[in-house]
Amino acid sequence: DIQMTQSPSPLSASVGDSVTITCRASQNIRNYLNWYQQKPGKAPRLLIHTASILQSGVPSRFSGSGSGTDFTLTISSLQPEDFATYYCQQSYSVPAFTFGPGTKVEI
Amino acid sequence: QITLKESGPTLVKPTQTLTLTCTFSGFSLSTSGEGVGWIRQPPGEALEWFALIYWDDDKRYSPALRSRLTVTKDTSRNQVVLRMTSMESVDTATYYCAHLSPGTLGFDYWGQGALVTVSS
């Protein structure tokens, strides 16, 4: 089974900061990596798919990169509404859609 | 516009079977490539994918829960039904159904979630 890890957690930041979250897969997943944002009491929201493609409607301050085993999600100029928990998820070993443990971005 | 909504009991007793229904609109599970997944989240914990059903009735389950799960679809009603047997307190969680995007293999639309508590 493919395992996903994330760092750091939590991540302390301020409005206007640029932050980067790292996700690592236990084996090569090519670019089959998605990122989600979840706010308390809400369902997750797909931000980025296929490692670097922004989902429709997602602000351009979100970006993703990486391939193979190492991936990053970057939020440039953090906004108040960006404080949330972020999850990576692999879709290579379909249909075992493994999620990472999450990274909470907090003030 | 795709929408999904979970429905079912909020409280089940230990050893009982949980039945949750996902009612959706905006797509058809008879269309090639479509799929609906189930993901759960215990309070304060991470997301856990555990089941998926495809348009062609192909079903996939998490190995950890496979022996307890059954997922079925009713295409005419636009519903997916989840059955999970032998519920325990550790199964207390918010249960989400979500649309699997055929093109991206990401869950692009989610239900609001249904909190299920397992307690006697």
Side-chain angles (χ1 to χ4, degrees), chain A residues 15-99:
Chain A
V15 173
D17 286 353
S18 176
V19 300
T20 296
I21 299 168
T22 297
C23 175
R24 177 164 290 174
S26 60
Q27 63 188 72
N28 187 347
I29 60 170
R30 297 170 61 183
N31 64 345
Y32 290 88
L33 192 284
N34 304 313
W35 289 98
Y36 298 83
Q37 175 194 66
Q38 187 181 33
K39 297 181 179 179
K42 299 295 186 182
R45 173 195 183 192
L46 179 63
L47 296 177
I48 288 172
H49 64 83
T50 326
S52 61
I53 300 175
L54 211 60
Q55 180 71 358
S56 175
V58 174
S60 59
R61 62 180 181 272
F62 291 91
S63 63
S65 66
S67 67
T69 60
D70 296 318
F71 302 86
T72 59
L73 171 69
T74 298
I75 312 171
S76 63
S77 189
L78 203 63
Q79 298 301 298
E81 61 267 29
D82 300 336
F83 290 94
T85 300
Y86 293 84
Y87 293 93
C88 62
Q89 174 235 325
Q90 66 86 14
S91 56
Y92 177 78
S93 177
V94 173
F97 296 94
T98 321
F99 287 90

Side-chain angles (χ1 to χ4, degrees), chain B residues 14 65 70:
Chain B
L65 295 173
T70 305

Side-chain angles (χ1 to χ4, degrees), chain A residues 34 36 38 49 87 94-95, chain B residues 41 49 54 60 104-105 107:
Chain A
N34 304 313
Y36 298 83
Q38 187 181 33
H49 64 83
Y87 293 93
V94 173
Chain B
Q41 185 173 38
W49 170 85
Y54 285 105
R60 302 301 174 96
T104 70
L105 294 182
F107 293 106

Side-chain angles (χ1 to χ4, degrees), chain B residues 16-107:
Chain B
Q16 286 188 337
T17 295
L18 169 68
T19 300
L20 286 175
T21 300
C22 176
T23 303
F24 57 86
S25 63
F27 69 98
S28 172
L29 253 186
S30 60
T31 300
S32 177
E34 296 287 1
V36 171
W38 287 95
I39 300 101
R40 68 179 183 176
Q41 185 173 38
E45 297 186 25
L47 301 166
E48 177 190 17
W49 170 85
F50 63 92
L52 185 77
I53 186 165
Y54 285 105
W55 64 281
D56 59 357
D57 212 35
D58 187 14
K59 302 161 191 177
R60 302 301 174 96
Y61 302 114
S62 163
L65 295 173
R66 176 179 290 126
S67 63
R68 300 170 52 204
L69 296 172
T70 305
V71 176
T72 58
K73 63 182 176 70
D74 185 333
T75 304
S76 63
R77 292 187 174 188
N78 281 350
Q79 290 181 331
V80 170
V81 177
L82 166 74
R83 293 183 71 252
M84 181 181 293
T85 62
S86 305
M87 294 290 285
E88 304 176 20
S89 58
V90 295
D91 297 313
T92 293
T94 296
Y95 287 75
Y96 295 99
C97 62
H99 173 258
L100 179 69
S101 168
T104 70
L105 294 182
F107 293 106

